[in-house]
């Protein structure tokens, strides 16, 4: 996908047909705001472009998946509030969800995800 925009999308993990609600944060403002001020998230948030995240001023722990440009998962970590994540050199996108959600989806290093935005599919 050449140009990302803020908005709603659907996340698919592996061969599982389950559609996970996804918020896309592509603008500087949306990426900066992220999940701050929320008490949780239904589904996940995609920050793009992004190579690292922090959880300062967050109210809950999150799972973080670092994705390369082909949407392959480079690493998955759980971060408590008040932490600074290390940047991943090949990361182009970061996926965030409530702590424990990604394990439930079967998301792990080496997995590939699909993002469907208004009838378009990436990658």
């Amino acid at each position: 996908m050449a140009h990302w925009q803020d908005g709603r999308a659907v996340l698919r993990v592996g061969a599982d047909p389950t559609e996970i609600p996804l918020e896309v944060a592509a603008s500087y403002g949306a990426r900066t705001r992220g999940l701050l001020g929320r008490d949780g998230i239904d589904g996940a948030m995609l920050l793009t472009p992004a190579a690292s995240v922090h959880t300062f001023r967050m109210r809950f722990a999150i799972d973080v998946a670092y994705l390369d440009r082909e949407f392959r998962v480079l690493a998955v970590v759980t971060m408590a509030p008040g932490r600074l994540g290390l940047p991943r050199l090949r990361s182009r996108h970061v996926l965030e969800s409530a702590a424990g959600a990604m394990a439930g989806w079967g998301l792990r290093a080496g997995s590939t995800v699909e993002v469907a935005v208004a009838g378009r599919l990436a990658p």
Side-chain angles (χ1 to χ4, degrees), residues 19-99:
E19 295 188 344
I20 301 160
L22 181 68
E23 296 176 45
V24 176
S27 69
Y28 176 78
R31 288 191 319 268
T32 302
R33 188 172 43 258
L35 297 175
L36 294 176
R38 298 187 190 191
D39 292 321
I41 182 170
D42 178 34
M45 177 176 279
L46 178 71
L47 306 172
T48 183
S52 67
V53 296
H54 69 82
T55 57
F56 299 122
R57 298 188 344 241
M58 298 259 318
R59 296 179 181 168
F60 60 100
I62 60 171
D63 284 345
V64 178
Y66 298 90
L67 312 175
D68 67 12
R69 58 179 85 244
E70 284 82 36
F71 289 83
R72 190 173 313 108
V73 178
L74 301 171
V76 178
V77 297
T78 300
M79 294 177 63
R83 305 285 185 220
L84 177 63
L86 296 174
R88 305 290 169 144
L89 294 178
R90 294 184 0 240
S91 179
R92 295 295 176 265
H93 317 279
V94 173
L95 196 60
E96 298 179 336
S97 67

Side-chain angles (χ1 to χ4, degrees), residues 11-18 105-107 111-114:
L11 177 70
R12 295 187 191 109
V13 178
D16 187 350
T18 303
W105 303 331
L107 194 73
S111 300
T112 301
V113 300
E114 292 179 343

